[in-house]
Amino acid sequence: MWARYNEMKRLVQDLLPPGVCNLLNQSTVYANNEVCLSDIEVYGFDYDYTLALYSNALHSMIYNTARDILVDQYKYPEGLRKYDYLPNFVVRGLHYDINKGLLMKIDAFHYIQLGTVYRGLKPVPDEEVMDLYQGTHHIPLHQVSGFYGKGPAVKQFMDIFSLPEMTLLAIANDFFVNNQIEYDPIHLYKDVSDAVRDVHVKGFMYQWIMQDLEKYILRGQETYSVLHLLASKGKKLFLITNSPFSFVDKGMRYMVGKDWRDFFDVVIVQADKPHFFNDCIKPFRRVDANGDLRWDKITQLEKGNVYKQGNLVDFLKLTGWRGSKVLYFGDHLYSDLADLMLRHGWRTGAIVPELEMETRIVNTEQYTHSLTWLQALTGLVERMQMFKDAECQQVLEDWKKERLELRAVTKNLFNPQFGSIFRTNHNPTYFSRRLCRFSDLYMSSVSCLMNYDLTYTFFPRRTPLQHEAPLWMDQLCTGCMKTPFLQEMAHIR
């Protein structure tokens, strides 16, 4: 068995030709469905984390302000102020069990990834997780969480702005547990949620950004380049955002210039998504040059004007922009993209800023070698488990231990607590499954479009299903065609 182990280690080295660690480009657009840009006539955009990308300094400000609201207004213990923001503690897409006060990572099949369940700032042992969930770590999310991730028992944090909220929840839980203070997790969740909401609703965040655009807004020149490219090719452009006009106007002037509205055929602010996409109640209202609301009836959406609220039914009637000729970009899979794809047949593009960092990690030699050896070692365990004598079983236990260590190594390269936002060991995360379901394309920023001609067709990769031959397509493309155990496994596959 150890001879086979050493042989496989040598084979893994052969599977990785020179340059394999730099195959992924951080500016790539990834396709879940086939999309031909020649067919796209209309491009739509969200604003926050789509046209405007923000620095991590904003998350720290949101956290600090919400924490102080808990102390000053909700009369939480003064000791909470000692906890600073932890910028790399959580990742997007986590779930929070409101009743138990647990932050956790769930895969595409609704299973909790053991080892990534946290109460406060400390991991919960796997045995305790199993006890808490009555012997299983499968959560029926359709029963405990609504479509938009807002359920009575489990909430999913899909918004990039939710990183400070998750961190504050973890820190508040940690404070009460460490100080042996009895508390109600449900009440705590509501207070933290309300405090973070106040930061947004009361306009604190807008004030910070408007006062120091250079500190908070990243790569604004790329936004200008994308809009200029699309407009110069005769494409129709529109903006639908929940942010107020004064905020959007100042940010767009900083990134694009004072004439930024010349790029857009329709501009809609304070749209109240996702209700904008699934209700037909609120009418459009025009916003004048001073930012005041006008009460004239809207019979057409005119270029150069700014509109507030409204609904998609009226938007479709007034513009005639329907179906697959429209491509809309947003960062929130539910509020921005889900209804557009499921109900209205628009093409959708998800902006996932985390892709940039994750791609850098995937391109490292350490990750590539660790992951390839993990796959090979898993094949060894699967193939050799038929040997039942004590000596062989001890070897298998050693291999399984090494396999767990390799899993921890690959996970920690992304985030020591929760790993990659896209994977839970071999399975995709629940976030990743939703990303594939609600977006035709996904990328780290809209600037990735600059790398493609506007007649380009995106094709999704054909990834093997469980019952298909385990060909490693990336190896075939790079000229390395050896596949571990393909012949040996043929008789049981």
Side-chain angles (χ1 to χ4, degrees):
M1 289 175 72
W2 283 113
R4 298 303 306 275
Y5 175 96
N6 293 326
E7 178 189 353
M8 183 55 61
K9 271 217 164 180
R10 179 188 58 78
L11 180 57
V12 164
Q13 295 298 319
D14 294 341
L15 281 169
L16 299 173
V20 73
C21 297
N22 293 296
L23 288 177
L24 294 181
N25 188 323
Q26 296 174 15
S27 298
T28 298
V29 173
Y30 298 96
N32 293 317
N33 294 308
E34 186 173 325
V35 176
C36 178
L37 293 184
S38 294
D39 298 334
I40 305 299
E41 300 174 9
V42 185
Y43 286 78
F45 301 91
D46 181 29
Y47 179 71
D48 295 303
Y49 280 109
T50 301
L51 291 179
L53 296 179
Y54 300 118
S55 67
N56 290 332
L58 181 61
H59 296 157
S60 182
M61 290 291 289
I62 294 172
Y63 166 88
N64 289 337
T65 306
R67 179 201 60 197
D68 291 345
I69 289 175
L70 285 181
V71 176
D72 296 333
Q73 298 182 25
Y74 297 176
K75 305 307 177 184
Y76 273 60
E78 187 69 28
L80 273 178
R81 291 197 208 270
K82 297 179 181 178
Y83 287 80
D84 294 325
Y85 181 61
L86 303 174
N88 299 310
F89 181 72
V90 294
V91 297
R92 189 154 55 122
L94 299 179
H95 287 75
Y96 184 76
D97 189 318
I98 297 170
N99 296 312
K100 297 180 175 66
L102 300 178
L103 198 59
M104 65 189 76
K105 191 177 184 184
I106 296 179
D107 73 12
F109 306 102
H110 298 198
Y111 283 94
I112 300 170
Q113 182 185 0
L114 297 177
T116 62
V117 180
Y118 276 73
R119 178 183 286 111
L121 303 179
K122 298 181 179 64
V124 179
D126 294 345
E127 299 79 11
E128 185 178 340
V129 173
M130 298 297 283
D131 288 341
L132 287 169
Y133 291 97
Q134 300 177 341
T136 179
H137 55 287
H138 179 275
I139 293 184
L141 290 177
H142 66 284
Q143 296 178 10
V144 297
S145 183
F147 177 79
Y148 294 102
K150 300 176 181 178
V154 176
K155 174 181 170 59
Q156 186 181 18
F157 291 99
M158 297 293 278
D159 194 345
I160 301 176
F161 282 130
S162 66
L163 296 178
E165 182 177 353
M166 285 188 279
T167 305
L168 185 55
L169 274 170
I171 282 174
N173 274 288
D174 194 73
F175 174 83
F176 287 125
V177 170
N178 288 343
N179 289 280
Q180 300 180 338
I181 300 173
E182 292 188 7
Y183 69 104
D184 180 0
I186 300 175
H187 195 91
L188 172 64
Y189 166 76
K190 183 180 182 303
D191 287 344
V192 170
S193 180
D194 288 347
V196 173
R197 184 197 61 200
D198 285 349
V199 175
H200 296 274
V201 171
K202 295 182 178 180
F204 296 125
M205 186 190 75
Y206 301 138
Q207 294 172 19
W208 304 327
I209 296 173
M210 292 169 71
Q211 289 169 3
D212 198 343
L213 296 169
E214 189 173 347
K215 177 181 179 180
Y216 293 110
I217 294 183
L218 303 174
R219 295 162 22 195
Q221 70 279 4
E222 296 178 1
T223 300
Y224 170 83
S225 299
V226 172
L227 298 179
H228 182 269
L229 171 67
L230 296 175
S232 67
K233 298 297 183 181
K235 304 299 182 181
K236 300 288 186 181
L237 303 181
F238 67 92
L239 174 66
I240 301 179
T241 175
N242 285 350
S243 293
F245 173 69
S246 59
F247 173 71
V248 173
D249 182 55
K250 189 151 188 178
M252 290 298 285
R253 284 173 179 265
Y254 173 75
M255 293 186 291
V256 180
K258 64 179 182 179
D259 299 324
W260 67 270
R261 279 191 280 166
D262 292 346
F263 284 118
F264 291 94
D265 295 88
V266 178
V267 175
I268 300 169
V269 299
Q270 292 179 269
D272 193 27
K273 295 178 295 182
H275 301 298
F276 180 93
F277 295 132
N278 54 41
D279 290 339
C280 54
I281 299 174
K282 293 182 179 179
F284 284 107
R285 293 290 179 228
R286 185 168 59 87
V287 178
D288 66 18
N290 297 321
D292 296 326
L293 200 62
R294 312 307 300 174
W295 291 91
D296 47 318
K297 183 176 181 180
I298 304 302
T299 58
Q300 57 182 331
L301 298 176
E302 299 176 332
K303 185 170 184 174
N305 284 333
V306 176
Y307 301 92
K308 179 180 176 180
Q309 297 179 345
N311 62 85
L312 189 65
V313 172
D314 289 341
F315 180 86
L316 297 176
K317 289 178 182 177
L318 296 173
T319 62
W321 296 338
R322 297 178 180 275
S324 58
K325 68 180 180 181
V326 184
L327 174 57
Y328 183 77
F329 293 93
D331 69 289
H332 199 297
L333 301 183
Y334 295 132
S335 297
D336 289 326
L337 307 181
D339 289 308
L340 293 177
M341 171 174 275
L342 299 179
R343 298 187 181 197
H344 302 287
W346 285 12
R347 310 314 293 264
T348 56
I351 304 303
V352 188
E354 296 94 335
L355 261 175
E356 190 169 327
M357 180 273 289
E358 296 228 355
T359 301
R360 283 201 300 268
I361 294 171
V362 170
N363 277 337
T364 62
E365 184 175 340
Q366 182 182 10
Y367 176 83
T368 304
H369 282 268
S370 296
L371 181 64
T372 308
W373 176 234
L374 173 61
Q375 294 286 79
L377 187 59
T378 300
L380 273 172
V381 173
E382 183 178 20
R383 180 71 181 92
M384 298 299 180
Q385 62 184 323
M386 64 185 69
F387 299 110
K388 303 296 185 182
D389 61 275
E391 188 175 2
C392 290
Q393 286 295 309
Q394 182 57 54
V395 173
L396 284 170
E397 288 302 314
D398 292 342
W399 290 354
K400 290 177 182 178
K401 181 180 178 181
E402 182 180 357
R403 184 168 173 264
L404 289 175
E405 292 170 352
L406 282 168
R407 279 184 167 183
V409 167
T410 54
K411 170 192 148 188
N412 292 346
L413 288 173
F414 296 97
N415 177 284
Q417 291 74 233
F418 299 100
S420 167
I421 69 170
F422 299 102
R423 278 206 173 274
T424 60
N425 295 328
H426 293 301
N427 291 333
T429 57
Y430 192 80
F431 172 88
S432 187
R433 176 63 65 87
R434 300 289 89 182
L435 177 68
C436 293
R437 179 69 182 93
F438 299 140
S439 67
D440 293 295
L441 305 173
Y442 65 98
M443 64 209 76
S444 61
S445 73
V446 292
S447 64
C448 295
L449 291 173
M450 297 295 295
N451 299 312
Y452 301 87
D453 187 86
L454 292 185
T455 61
Y456 190 89
T457 299
F458 296 99
F459 296 97
R461 294 178 181 175
R462 182 183 175 89
T463 54
L465 303 174
Q466 292 299 309
H467 64 275
E468 294 178 328
L471 295 174
W472 295 7
M473 302 309 296
D474 287 339
Q475 294 162 18
L476 297 180
C477 293
T478 54
C480 190
M481 301 183 65
K482 296 179 182 179
T483 304
F485 289 126
L486 186 58
Q487 290 182 336
E488 292 191 13
M489 299 297 287
H491 69 287
I492 61 172
R493 283 288 183 189

